[in-house]
Amino acid sequence: MSVLLQVSDPHFGTERPPVVEALAALARQQRPDLLVLSGDITQRARPAQFQAARSFMDRLGVPLLAVPGNHDIPLLDVWTRLRRPYARHVAAFGSELEPVHTSPDLMVVGVNTTRARRYKHGEVSGLQIDRVARTLAGARAEQLRVVVVHQPVAVTHPEDLPNRLRGHVAALQRWAAAGADLVMGGHIHLPFVMALPGLARPMWAVQAGTAVSSRVRKGAPNSVSLLRWGADAPQGGCLIEQWDFAAAEPAFVRVAATVVRPARLWTREAGPCATMLPIHPDTPDTPC
């Protein structure tokens, strides 16, 4: 079984030290095979903030796939933003802005959805959509196929509609047909798992909250996502867990778990399914 830890929107420069230490403890406990960093790594794209973020990721000792967020492009340094928008990200996390990770259990494809001139709102181009689809087409049946963006492809609150990724409709249609299972994102600091309707095959959006920043959303504490997938994964599908920071512990604790079953796993009798699992033994399962 492979374990993937999604850390999004840490906004280094606004990090909360107790939460940072709790996240390090969670990583030591869970021992993920891959850490996905889905953007807004820093608050203002300053060199010291990138250095702090890189130092923390190195502490975890986990293979890393990182894509930039809009906060990782300098806002106030206009010359750098327009001429060398990713120079500081590249110095900290390498020259590949759209990395791909492959292992026996996983294919994870990063997409740079930021635009220096647009700053806040994200976009995916036709060329990017095609590149991701071609990569996904080469996946093996046993690999969970994950696309990583920064801005969300789906939202749960009307006020978040303007934050959706530009070009997401065409991207989801093409990526679903090419075999994607999950699209992971951040940006809105709100964690959830959502089935994406109207596609050629079942696909889910997995959104993570802000991992360690003080810039939490009302009602949504610091949180990260853990995915478990493989031949011996629980419940025979992909287990997606939401872990929130609990100040009383202080530690990250599991607060929600969802099993999703990619199309190649479901039968005609069972159908495609996303099942919420109980966190406490006395809580009943929510049916598909």
Side-chain angles (χ1 to χ4, degrees):
M1 180 178 69
S2 292
V3 178
L4 183 156
L5 172 62
Q6 183 192 9
V7 172
S8 198
D9 299 77
H11 288 275
F12 274 87
T14 66
E15 72 272 23
R16 302 169 60 201
V19 187
V20 171
E21 293 308 312
L23 181 54
L26 178 68
R28 289 193 299 269
Q29 176 194 63
Q30 298 295 326
R31 302 175 63 185
D33 301 284
L34 177 68
L35 190 154
V36 167
L37 191 53
S38 48
D40 279 1
I41 302 166
T42 66
Q43 174 62 10
R44 283 288 173 253
R46 293 174 180 151
Q49 294 171 357
F50 273 114
Q51 183 178 2
R54 180 76 239 193
S55 295
F56 175 71
M57 302 306 160
D58 288 344
R59 276 182 63 191
L60 303 185
V62 178
L64 174 67
L65 183 148
V67 298
N70 52 289
H71 275 260
D72 302 319
I73 298 172
L75 174 62
L76 303 178
D77 185 347
V78 178
W79 189 94
T80 301
R81 174 156 59 94
L82 297 180
R83 297 297 185 91
R84 303 178 65 224
Y86 302 107
R88 296 170 185 175
H89 177 94
V90 165
F93 291 98
S95 60
E96 183 54 73
L97 299 177
E98 298 188 312
V100 177
H101 169 89
T102 58
S103 69
D105 287 338
L106 299 170
M107 173 179 280
V108 186
V109 184
V111 187
N112 176 19
T113 58
T114 63
R115 298 294 185 267
R117 293 181 182 274
R118 178 169 281 173
Y119 182 64
K120 180 179 180 181
H121 298 301
E123 179 182 3
V124 60
S125 69
L127 289 175
Q128 289 175 306
I129 292 172
D130 289 344
R131 177 190 65 83
V132 172
R134 290 195 302 270
T135 303
L136 292 169
R140 299 186 299 275
E142 62 271 21
Q143 288 177 309
L144 185 73
R145 302 138 195 191
V146 182
V147 180
V148 181
V149 297
H150 177 59
Q151 289 84 359
V153 297
V155 296
T156 56
H157 294 176
E159 62 266 28
D160 290 324
L161 287 171
N163 292 308
R164 283 186 302 180
L165 181 66
R166 274 60 173 170
H168 72 277
V169 174
L172 293 179
Q173 293 287 348
R174 183 76 188 281
W175 295 345
D181 299 311
L182 309 176
V183 181
M184 305 185 82
H187 189 59
I188 56 175
H189 298 194
L190 186 66
F192 59 83
V193 178
M194 175 191 290
L196 297 167
L199 301 176
R201 60 194 297 283
M203 191 162 73
W204 291 266
V206 179
Q207 285 289 127
T210 175
V212 299
S213 174
S214 61
R215 301 176 75 248
V216 293
R217 184 165 171 159
K218 185 177 180 180
N222 294 108
S223 71
V224 297
S225 300
L226 271 169
L227 275 65
R228 306 181 195 276
W229 166 262
D232 54 349
Q235 304 294 319
C238 175
L239 179 62
I240 305 170
E241 301 173 351
Q242 178 185 329
W243 290 69
D244 288 357
F245 177 72
E249 302 292 338
F252 279 86
V253 297
R254 193 178 80 152
V255 299
T258 305
V259 173
V260 302
R261 296 183 177 88
R264 57 196 175 280
L265 296 184
W266 55 271
T267 65
R268 180 174 300 180
E269 292 75 19
C273 182
T275 305
M276 295 296 295
L277 296 181
I279 300 303
H280 301 292
D282 295 333
T283 303
D285 287 352
T286 300
C288 301

